[in-house]
Amino acid sequence: MNTSEAIRTRRSIRKYEKGFQIPQEHIEQLLEAAMMAPSACNRRPWEFIVVEKQDVLAQIMEIHPYTQMLQTASLAIVVCGRPDCQDGICEGFWPQDCGAAIENLLLQATELGYGTCWCGCYPVMKRSEALQKILDVTSIPLAVIAVGKADEVPKARGFYDASRVKWIL
């Protein structure tokens, strides 16, 4: 699968094959892809928490109402931002940097044959702060990414919209 195919076949998956186990090497590939993302001043202001433990996934679902797909997903990867890694001209860009890392992770998962769903946390600080406690981190949870073997094939929702493009020639 090339990049163009991965972009066009990636979907937000909310139903997974329960009990499917993702090999450790594939999880590491997902994390490596995420960490290959560009970041302001190459500060890499991120931290990743891989959650496979069922009771922790249940706690995440209690905190975040839009993560119910974790009932069947193989795991969650919580992407956290580290604003403390940035200063000077790089300060404040951590949400963008983490967003780039998340997109790399989603596309790598698509290429490996997995489904994902990006569930945002930050800037809803109530969610982020509750996740900090559960995960025992001081970094800021930006998103929960569900990962697993898809048990649905949703239609594409993205499309090219020429009305959203301004050409300056």
Side-chain angles (χ1 to χ4, degrees):
M1 176 178 295
N2 65 37
T3 306
S4 185
E5 290 170 328
I7 290 168
R8 285 160 180 78
T9 57
R10 187 218 55 80
R11 301 285 186 273
S12 293
I13 301 298
R14 291 174 178 81
K15 294 179 185 174
Y16 298 90
E17 289 185 19
K18 190 164 179 66
F20 182 83
Q21 195 151 17
I22 298 174
Q24 179 73 21
E25 67 186 52
H26 284 184
I27 297 169
E28 290 177 7
Q29 275 185 270
L30 297 175
L31 297 168
E32 179 186 20
M35 292 183 203
M36 294 296 292
S39 66
C41 305
N42 198 33
R43 295 294 171 88
R44 303 162 45 91
W46 46 58
E47 179 176 33
F48 303 88
I49 293 82
V50 179
V51 181
E52 294 180 273
K53 197 172 182 184
Q54 290 301 311
D55 66 321
V56 177
L57 292 171
Q59 290 177 61
I60 292 171
M61 288 185 281
E62 281 182 38
I63 289 167
H64 195 317
Y66 303 107
T67 61
Q68 298 311 300
M69 75 287 296
L70 294 177
Q71 292 177 38
T72 57
S74 300
L75 57 90
I77 298 176
V78 183
V79 181
C80 299
R82 303 244 346 251
D84 59 301
C85 291
Q86 297 181 321
D87 59 9
I89 64 167
C90 304
E91 191 169 5
F93 288 97
W94 66 270
Q96 293 177 52
D97 297 344
C98 288
I102 292 167
E103 187 65 15
N104 277 10
L105 189 154
L106 300 180
L107 294 175
Q108 181 68 71
T110 300
E111 193 226 326
L112 290 170
Y114 301 117
T116 56
C117 192
W118 176 344
C119 305
C121 300
Y122 179 87
V124 180
M125 291 310 294
K126 183 177 179 178
R127 278 185 205 150
S128 291
E129 289 166 357
L131 283 169
Q132 282 176 315
K133 289 176 186 169
I134 288 172
L135 302 171
D136 191 28
V137 296
T138 57
S139 54
I140 301 170
L142 183 86
V144 174
I145 311 301
V147 185
K149 185 162 178 160
D151 197 19
E152 66 176 348
V153 184
K155 292 182 180 179
R157 294 177 72 185
F159 58 92
Y160 177 75
D161 182 352
S163 71
R164 302 268 182 128
V165 179
K166 179 179 179 177
W167 295 87
I168 301 175
L169 306 171

